[in-house]
Amino acid sequence: MQVSITGHHVEVTEALKAYVEEKISKIKRHFDNVVDVHVILTVEKLQQKAEAAVQISGAKLYAEDTQEDMYAAIDFMVDKLDRQIVKHKEKIQNHR
């Protein structure tokens, strides 16, 4: 799984990068065929925004969340991705 993290109007520190990679690694426990993850962290005035595009075998998933704290935005964004991946996995298993 290849993870790329970029920042828009924010410097991506090592702590932020490690936090994102730790949280993103949890989505692999539900689905092994994650190919690529691209995370964009953005600061817009008082709002912190985290968005991610995940390339998995057969589909591309997208999630974003906006909070006042960047770490909270990352947490909620990963939760959304996790739910989408579980739903996608269930669809694949039901069709077979």
Side-chain angles (χ1 to χ4, degrees), residues 1 23-25 30-32 38 43 48 52 60 64 68 76-77 85 87 91-92:
M1 174 172 72
K23 291 294 182 176
I24 292 293
S25 68
H30 290 297
F31 197 68
D32 293 334
H38 183 71
V43 174
Q48 316 281 325
K60 190 166 190 173
E64 71 175 46
E68 291 182 6
F76 285 115
M77 184 243 341
I85 286 177
K87 187 175 179 179
K91 277 184 177 179
I92 290 173

Side-chain angles (χ1 to χ4, degrees), residues 58-84:
K60 190 166 190 173
L61 305 176
Y62 177 79
E64 71 175 46
D65 195 72
T66 305
Q67 298 289 324
E68 291 182 6
D69 180 37
M70 182 62 79
Y71 291 99
I74 293 168
D75 287 340
F76 285 115
M77 184 243 341
V78 170
D79 288 342
K80 288 178 183 180
L81 275 177
D82 202 31
R83 286 192 302 266
Q84 288 180 15

Side-chain angles (χ1 to χ4, degrees), residues 13-32:
T13 62
E14 288 299 319
L16 212 61
K17 187 180 280 191
Y19 189 77
V20 169
E21 288 176 355
E22 174 193 342
K23 291 294 182 176
I24 292 293
S25 68
K26 291 182 180 180
I27 65 174
K28 266 194 92 115
R29 68 180 172 199
H30 290 297
F31 197 68
D32 293 334

Side-chain angles (χ1 to χ4, degrees), residues 44-58:
E44 298 172 352
K45 293 189 180 178
L46 299 177
Q47 297 294 318
Q48 316 281 325
K49 182 177 177 184
E51 54 187 287
V54 178
Q55 178 79 29
I56 58 177
S57 61

Side-chain angles (χ1 to χ4, degrees), residues 27-41:
I27 65 174
K28 266 194 92 115
R29 68 180 172 199
H30 290 297
F31 197 68
D32 293 334
N33 298 333
V34 177
V35 177
D36 183 36
V37 180
H38 183 71
V39 179
I40 301 171
L41 306 174

